[in-house]
Amino acid sequence: MAGRSLRARAVRGLSYWEVASPALPKATVTDHDLRPDVSDTLRTLLTERILVLDGAMGTMIQRAGLAEADYRGERFADWPSDLRGNNDLLSMTAPEVISGIHREYLAAGADLIETNTFNANRISLRDYDMPELAYEMNVAAARLARAACDEMT
């Protein structure tokens, strides 16, 4: 699996990982991290009922009223540029905030949740001088979404 990128979608009671290449091997994904492909199960569910997708992650993050220090956490306390607004970074620096938002959507009835990775790509992260952290952010966000689904089912 080395050298491949990872995108996860978490579904209440199910999960699947889409693997594409190439990527930066900042965070290691092993076969143990991968789950069976449940695409057929998902297609069947979609023929039976409408599935509910979570809502706007950015709006929920804004509601939390986070300050610059919340975005930085300990690891990025001395980072040379402002980090407030880098919502994807919160999967690493304030995972309890992101996990809480996932749990809220699941408790409200969401069948599917997305990872907190809207801008977790090398191009967008240049705004924060963090392009090399894109892969690590994606893996952290995917793990939080998966854990929230596991916790709620």
Side-chain angles (χ1 to χ4, degrees):
M1 298 298 329
R4 294 188 172 197
S5 67
L6 179 70
R7 186 177 80 201
R9 295 281 188 239
V11 180
R12 185 187 296 262
L14 307 170
S15 70
Y16 68 95
W17 299 81
E18 296 175 4
V19 180
S21 60
L24 297 173
K26 266 293 194 192
T28 303
V29 177
T30 65
D31 288 338
H32 176 72
D33 294 320
L34 301 178
R35 306 227 178 184
D37 183 342
V38 295
S39 299
D40 291 337
T41 304
L42 187 56
R43 283 187 198 94
T44 300
L45 285 171
L46 287 166
T47 64
E48 296 171 356
R49 66 186 179 89
I50 295 171
L51 299 180
V52 177
L53 180 64
D54 66 359
M57 181 64 77
T59 302
M60 297 292 276
I61 290 171
Q62 286 178 349
R63 184 187 71 170
L66 302 174
E68 176 72 21
D70 298 311
Y71 283 85
R72 290 179 174 277
E74 287 182 33
R75 180 174 172 187
F76 302 103
D78 297 323
W79 199 258
S81 62
D82 290 341
L83 298 178
R84 188 168 186 207
N86 186 351
N87 291 345
D88 308 273
L89 182 60
L90 294 171
S91 293
M92 296 166 57
T93 60
E96 67 286 350
V97 172
I98 302 305
S99 293
I101 292 169
H102 288 319
R103 284 192 299 273
E104 285 185 69
Y105 278 123
L106 290 165
D111 296 299
L112 303 141
I113 61 171
E114 296 182 285
T115 58
N116 178 41
T117 54
F118 189 79
N119 284 310
N121 61 73
R122 292 180 60 80
I123 294 168
S124 296
L125 290 173
R126 285 184 191 151
D127 292 345
Y128 303 97
D129 300 318
M130 296 183 148
E132 69 284 352
L133 295 174
Y135 186 79
E136 185 178 354
M137 280 184 200
N138 278 277
V139 171
R143 287 186 173 142
L144 291 176
R146 175 71 263 151
C149 286
D150 289 344
E151 182 181 315
M152 298 296 287
T153 56

